[in-house]
Amino acid sequence: MAMNGKGYLDASTLPVKEFDGIIIGGGGSGLMSSLQLAQSGMNTAVVSKVFPTRSHTVSAQGGITCAIASADPNDDWRWHMYDTVKGSDFIGDQDSIEYMCQEGPATVFELENMGLPFSRTEEGKIYQRAFGGQSKDFGKGGQAERTCAAADRTGHALLHTLYQANVKAGTNFLSEWFAIDLVLNADNQVTGVIAFEIESGEAFFLKAKATVLATGGAGRIYKSTTNALINTGDGTGMALRAGLAVQDMEMWQFHPTGIHGAGTLVTEGCRGEGGYLVNKDGERFMERYAPNAKDLASRDVVARSMMLEIIEGRGCGPEADHCFLKLDHLGADLLHKRLPGITELSKTFAHVDPAEQPIPVVPTCHYAMGGIPTNVHGQVITQQSNGSDSIVGGLYAAGEAACVSVHGGNRLGGNSLLDLVVFGRSAGMHIEESFKNGIDIKDPTKDDVNNALKNINKVNASSEGENSSKIKKDLQETMQLSFGVFRTEENMEKGIKVLDEIRSRTENIHLADKSSRFNTARVEALELLNLLEVAEATAISAYERKESRGAHSRDDFPERDDENWLKHSIYFKESKEVTKRDVNFRPKLVQAFQPFARTY
Amino acid sequence: MNTIAAEQITTLKMSIYRYDPDTGNKPFMQDIDIDIPKDKDIMVLDALQLAKEKDSSISFRRSCREGVCGSDGMNINGKNGLGCITPLSKVVRKNKLELRPLPGLPVVKDLIVDMTQFVDQYKKIRPYLIADKESDSTAIPQTVQDREKLDGLYECILCGCCSTACPSFWWNPDKFLGPAALLQAYRFIADSRDTAREERLDQLEDAFSVFRCHGIMNCVSVCPKGLNPTKAINEIKKMLVKRAL
């Protein structure tokens, strides 16, 4: 049914397309899930609002962290697990972290076998570089080199390889389709999604027994972010509107090295290859904050240190509002070989050749550690009113949209690519298995489908009100001001109030262009609804977590509070309340790592 | 950008190709003046976003805004390029910026072209590694020198700037594979891990697939990633000729 003018969509006339499984999102986790399903011969579709290789995985640079033991033959996935638990500031789920670190090597080799053009060592093995927060021998053996890299274009190489593998497997792509809302049945099971083909403006009910949310991050809630323009938290917004829980939404990673002004990412691999940060006096200040790991401390630590340098007046530039990343001492040869993409990006966006001059950088919103809670099979979990977990039938999530929680309060560099391939695949495997055993999901009624059409109908029917682009700008400003690297109670209160006003304004959003064909204004209006849900979940969760842990740092509660907050936060849209959920301390193969003071 | 003082603003005259086949109207060029900061060199994509704030019905693709996703290939003052990494200083002459869709492909709407033909040609070359290897959880070894042969090939972002700048592709978009697909064909031929080199060459051995390339090199001059499809095509041609002798 084409959307044109103010026409209403209705369940009784809406065309239905039926699949075994639908994967929403064509980035790394989505394509890993779809590959699994396509290879098992299931009738699946990847619904992606952009052609798959335009997904944000393409922007990942430095690599995929995994104990494949190229750089060090004695490397051990348990060391990687230790680093990840410590990096998470102890609220990463240890069963998930164990699964990821242990399953990782087989997955990386599988990617290599698919054709991923990893850089190589002299022995012909996959090249691994040092990244932040990495150690040998459970923190006792010094810096590790564990991040497998294809120069500084690992995400591009990985995403294209996965797309190619899906082409080979004959995956069915619904490319440039936008998913609007989940369709739930009377038992609150997910039965598919309402989506439209952007080119024609035709809307459908895509019905399936398994739906995977692989929709990626939502960095566009902030004004300054490394994220692509498409990172608007569509899956997270859909889950929240469907009444499901989100977890640890206050935990946003600020990457230490976004290019000042432009926000584009400069990989941590720059520091892994020997680059370092300096302040206006040319001082290598990380030596003061992290005497052992220095510039390779974990990202939350480095980002805070940089902000302190800036706040205390030692920032660089005429406004003293950034730091410098020094790479010139590494030599043009190494930069050309190992960091060619960075050289290109800094020339384009900072007008600086890193072989000669330092790159102006500033901590920039980069990654959502939080998201839709899942178990290791990607099955979405929500919380009952008595505080117990329950599985949401028919729904899976993987990658940045999910919170399986391998990253807890702070993600280590190189762990995002590993997360998305490992858990994208585990979701695919679980769906395959479930189909073999038979899935029992009740069909939705017409009312159930109409429920999922409410938002799109409202946007389509709007005849007056505000344009989405102005509201989006205000939302991004508010998040930047109130929920950045350092958070204060007063700022957060103000921010929550402004978001409340923004919600009222969004109720009156006006879609001026009602045409059907490739209407990007319609897409942007729907994206704003998702950004708003993510922003509010972030704001309220941040306000309620009364401690400082990982990426969440507040001046009124400067210490970590394990007694009260060694917990996940859980947020629901309807009540706007935050509850707690236990962190998993029950890995299967090793003893759990108990919390200790985190220093680098 | 609405906070900038008036004396720091200059006006850019944009002219944007508009076409919505649903309306039954013919394509036309829409003139839009936008305010841009005087002292800051913004990108073509930024200018386009400002134009869209004035008229929300303008359609174009965009995603990463840093030149790695390949969404926003377009024809900028006569030359194909990516909007997000093309600074105005590089292309604007006499304060004018004319934006058109990539040439040679059907227009879906405004600056959005139908990439089906482009993607089909890419799929034809079997863009995936073919290797006779047991799945035994090990990597296929590759020397540093062999891996270096893939540099300048694997970085392609499938933006379509090259193929849509190629007269041979304009003439025979169904039979001539075009520079983007051929660059990827060579990326797999050149990969020491691939075991299907001969089959790949067999598939390219006709009068059109490769040999319609006449070395015009538009592909090289427009590639936003600085890649050289003509060189890759010549390597394939050499291999085919050598085989035939």
Side-chain angles (χ1 to χ4, degrees):
Chain A
M1 198 192 287
M3 293 184 285
N4 206 342
K6 289 187 183 181
Y8 256 74
L9 299 172
D10 188 89
S12 50
T13 48
L14 191 72
V16 182
K17 280 179 188 271
E18 204 162 343
F19 302 95
D20 295 335
I22 297 169
I23 289 131
I24 307 173
S29 63
L31 293 189
M32 200 72 189
S33 293
S34 64
L35 185 61
Q36 192 69 34
L37 297 183
Q39 284 170 343
S40 68
M42 290 172 61
N43 174 24
T44 50
V46 176
V47 179
S48 174
K49 65 178 177 179
V50 293
F51 180 76
T53 62
R54 323 290 189 216
S55 306
H56 188 54
T57 303
V58 83
S59 291
Q61 298 173 352
I64 175 166
T65 302
C66 188
I68 58 163
S70 279
D72 171 6
N74 298 317
D75 200 9
D76 192 317
W77 64 263
R78 294 165 192 87
W79 301 349
H80 180 198
M81 178 180 173
Y82 166 89
D83 292 342
T84 304
V85 172
K86 179 185 172 189
S88 81
D89 219 347
F90 300 95
I91 60 162
D93 287 327
Q94 296 200 17
D95 58 339
S96 306
I97 298 174
E98 178 185 58
Y99 182 85
M100 177 179 81
C101 297
Q102 200 216 354
E103 286 291 316
T107 317
V108 168
F109 292 135
E110 192 186 334
L111 288 167
E112 190 280 334
N113 290 180
M114 279 179 213
L116 203 161
F118 280 113
S119 300
R120 298 286 168 156
T121 66
E122 288 302 326
E123 301 86 50
K125 295 178 183 169
I126 294 172
Y127 170 72
Q128 292 183 292
R129 61 163 56 109
F131 247 58
Q134 288 178 359
S135 77
K136 296 182 182 188
D137 196 16
F138 307 104
K140 296 186 293 259
Q143 176 73 41
E145 292 166 357
R146 193 174 289 131
T147 302
C148 312
D152 56 357
R153 303 187 177 103
T154 316
H156 169 278
L158 184 145
L159 186 65
H160 280 254
T161 300
L162 278 176
Y163 175 67
Q164 292 161 352
N166 274 280
V167 167
K168 188 178 182 185
T171 299
N172 176 26
F173 289 104
L174 299 182
S175 219
E176 298 186 326
W177 280 59
F178 189 85
I180 304 166
D181 266 311
L182 297 169
V183 178
L184 275 68
N185 66 16
D187 300 337
N188 278 324
Q189 294 170 314
V190 173
T191 62
V193 70
I194 304 294
F196 67 98
E197 184 185 35
I198 301 173
E199 178 173 333
S200 64
E202 301 248 2
F204 293 85
F205 171 28
L206 305 179
K207 194 177 162 203
K209 290 206 161 65
T211 302
V212 184
L213 295 173
T215 47
R220 286 284 150 184
I221 62 170
Y222 287 92
K223 186 181 172 192
S224 172
T225 174
T226 63
N227 281 200
L229 295 160
I230 58 168
N231 284 23
T232 52
D234 300 337
T236 319
M238 280 187 261
L240 279 163
R241 283 192 299 273
L244 303 176
V246 289
Q247 176 170 283
D248 297 335
M249 289 304 292
E250 66 278 23
M251 297 300 183
W252 279 90
Q253 177 162 85
F254 286 78
H255 195 292
T257 55
I259 293 181
H260 176 248
T264 44
L265 173 70
V266 174
T267 176
E268 187 169 299
C270 293
R271 284 170 282 140
E273 297 288 349
Y276 55 86
L277 294 160
V278 294
N279 60 20
K280 75 168 166 112
D281 305 320
E283 184 205 4
R284 186 176 179 181
F285 58 85
M286 280 312 299
E287 288 176 338
R288 269 189 279 122
Y289 296 96
N292 297 311
K294 301 186 183 82
D295 294 82
L296 288 177
S298 72
R299 287 179 181 170
D300 57 336
V301 174
V302 179
R304 275 193 292 275
S305 308
M306 291 170 74
M307 289 312 292
L308 283 173
E309 289 300 298
I310 292 167
I311 290 165
E312 288 169 10
R314 292 186 295 277
C316 308
E319 314 274 329
D321 59 354
H322 56 271
C323 299
F324 279 137
L325 174 64
K326 199 168 138 29
L327 299 175
D328 57 307
H329 58 288
L330 301 176
D333 274 358
L334 185 134
L335 293 181
H336 177 71
K337 205 164 135 202
R338 300 276 187 232
L339 302 165
I342 289 313
T343 304
E344 228 177 274
L345 279 170
S346 41
K347 282 180 184 168
T348 306
F349 289 102
H351 312 293
V352 153
D353 179 354
E356 284 163 13
Q357 284 169 285
I359 310 172
V361 290
V362 71
T364 305
C365 168
H366 183 57
Y367 187 87
M369 270 75 73
I372 304 159
T374 71
N375 61 21
V376 291
H377 307 296
Q379 292 177 285
V380 169
I381 288 168
T382 196
Q383 199 178 47
Q384 300 295 316
S385 47
N386 65 4
S388 66
D389 285 356
S390 67
I391 284 174
V392 181
L395 189 63
Y396 293 76
E400 192 173 341
C403 182
V404 57
S405 183
V406 284
H407 311 304
N410 170 68
R411 174 171 73 76
L412 294 188
N415 269 354
S416 59
L417 290 183
L418 188 64
D419 169 10
L420 59 84
V421 291
V422 166
F423 293 105
R425 186 170 66 168
S426 80
M429 290 189 321
H430 193 271
I431 294 170
E432 198 185 337
E433 196 58 34
S434 306
F435 261 78
K436 276 185 203 151
N437 301 330
I439 298 181
D440 186 26
I441 286 192
K442 205 189 283 173
D443 272 354
T445 63
K446 287 214 165 89
D447 283 349
D448 293 335
V449 177
N450 278 330
N451 260 336
L453 290 168
K454 273 184 191 157
N455 276 309
I456 181 70
N457 277 333
K458 193 170 171 194
V459 168
N460 284 344
S462 61
S463 53
E464 55 179 1
E466 241 180 305
N467 172 309
S468 66
S469 71
K470 174 77 174 77
I471 306 179
K472 181 162 80 183
K473 272 189 188 168
D474 290 347
L475 180 146
Q476 292 166 333
E477 292 271 359
T478 304
M479 294 306 291
Q480 195 75 27
L481 277 174
S482 299
F483 303 95
V485 173
F486 290 116
R487 296 162 177 183
T488 70
E489 185 169 33
E490 195 192 341
N491 264 342
M492 288 195 286
E493 270 171 1
K494 266 190 219 157
I496 290 171
K497 211 167 144 245
V498 177
L499 286 176
D500 210 41
E501 290 159 21
I502 288 176
R503 181 172 287 282
S504 322
R505 289 164 62 192
T506 308
E507 297 285 324
N508 283 314
I509 200 171
H510 179 214
L511 178 67
D513 176 12
K514 300 278 202 296
S515 64
S516 327
R517 184 175 279 251
F518 227 111
N519 184 338
T520 52
R522 176 178 285 126
V523 171
E524 287 179 20
L526 293 167
E527 285 174 338
L528 175 64
L529 303 183
N530 296 324
L531 286 170
L532 174 64
E533 296 307 342
V534 176
E536 198 165 44
T538 299
I540 294 174
S541 306
Y543 184 77
E544 292 297 332
R545 184 181 282 275
K546 298 200 178 347
E547 65 157 353
S548 290
R549 179 188 301 272
H552 178 62
S553 177
R554 49 192 290 173
D555 66 341
D556 48 350
F557 297 95
E559 302 298 324
R560 191 173 86 192
D561 177 3
D562 285 344
E563 203 169 308
N564 296 301
W565 279 105
L566 191 62
K567 299 278 181 191
H568 295 299
S569 70
I570 291 284
Y571 169 87
F572 286 98
K573 165 182 153 60
E574 210 50 51
S575 61
K576 296 193 181 182
E577 274 172 14
V578 172
T579 57
K580 296 176 185 177
R581 179 168 174 255
D582 285 344
V583 174
N584 182 292
F585 278 89
R586 295 181 310 279
K588 290 202 168 84
L589 306 168
V590 297
Q591 285 227 314
F593 298 102
Q594 297 304 322
F596 54 83
R598 190 163 153 259
T599 55
Y600 284 97
Chain B
M1 231 155 267
N2 27 14
T3 51
I4 298 170
E7 63 271 17
Q8 291 170 304
I9 286 175
T10 177
T11 304
L12 175 71
K13 293 191 171 306
M14 292 181 77
S15 179
I16 303 171
Y17 178 95
R18 302 298 310 269
Y19 180 47
D20 181 350
D22 288 352
T23 61
N25 298 330
K26 285 181 184 165
F28 65 99
M29 297 302 292
Q30 178 185 14
D31 293 328
I32 291 193
D33 290 353
I34 58 158
D35 293 338
I36 55 168
K38 241 179 204 166
D39 56 342
K40 204 178 155 214
D41 192 11
I42 66 171
M43 301 292 173
V44 169
L45 178 64
D46 300 326
L48 196 48
Q49 310 245 50
L50 291 171
K52 190 173 170 70
E53 283 178 19
K54 287 197 158 181
D55 181 346
S56 66
S57 71
I58 303 170
S59 290
F60 50 92
R61 294 185 175 108
R62 83 286 181 278
S63 173
C64 75
R65 62 82 174 89
E66 58 184 13
V68 294
C69 81
S71 294
D72 63 344
M74 61 186 80
N75 190 271
I76 304 165
N77 274 355
K79 191 175 176 185
N80 291 355
L82 293 180
C84 62
I85 52 168
T86 304
L88 293 184
S89 62
K90 212 174 138 189
V91 286
V92 169
R93 296 288 171 266
K94 292 182 182 164
N95 214 28
K96 281 191 182 144
L97 180 65
E98 192 174 283
L99 301 178
R100 294 172 181 270
L102 290 175
L105 293 174
V107 175
V108 173
K109 188 189 175 196
D110 302 344
L111 300 177
I112 295 169
V113 292
D114 183 346
M115 300 283 279
T116 310
Q117 203 144 41
F118 175 83
V119 175
D120 284 350
Q121 296 300 58
Y122 170 71
K123 286 180 179 168
K124 261 192 213 164
I125 61 100
R126 292 187 288 171
Y128 38 81
L129 193 75
I130 300 172
D132 309 322
K133 179 186 175 287
E134 299 282 314
S135 55
D136 58 354
S137 262
T138 58
I140 308 170
Q142 186 171 47
T143 64
V144 170
Q145 294 71 30
D146 278 340
R147 170 59 184 78
E148 267 172 17
K149 292 178 187 157
L150 307 184
D151 285 340
L153 306 173
Y154 81 96
E155 300 93 324
C156 172
I157 57 173
L158 301 177
C159 63
C161 287
C162 61
S163 293
T164 61
C166 172
S168 294
F169 189 74
W170 294 339
W171 280 110
N172 297 105
D174 51 341
K175 288 190 270 187
F176 172 56
L177 291 166
L182 287 168
L183 186 77
Q184 288 317 294
Y186 187 61
R187 175 251 175 274
F188 288 99
I189 290 169
D191 195 323
S192 63
R193 300 171 296 172
D194 195 89
T195 51
R197 178 180 293 187
E198 290 305 313
E199 292 96 299
R200 290 181 188 280
L201 289 172
D202 289 346
Q203 200 194 334
L204 299 171
E205 201 164 34
D206 59 71
F208 281 90
S209 297
V210 182
F211 286 102
R212 281 287 135 159
C213 166
H214 300 306
I216 298 165
M217 293 179 77
N218 279 358
C219 53
V220 182
S221 87
V222 298
C223 177
K225 303 307 285 182
L227 308 178
N228 190 334
T230 304
K231 191 172 162 217
I233 294 169
N234 284 341
E235 294 297 332
I236 299 174
K237 283 181 180 171
K238 273 194 268 176
M239 288 174 124
L240 287 170
V241 170
K242 206 169 156 193
R243 258 181 19 145
L245 291 175

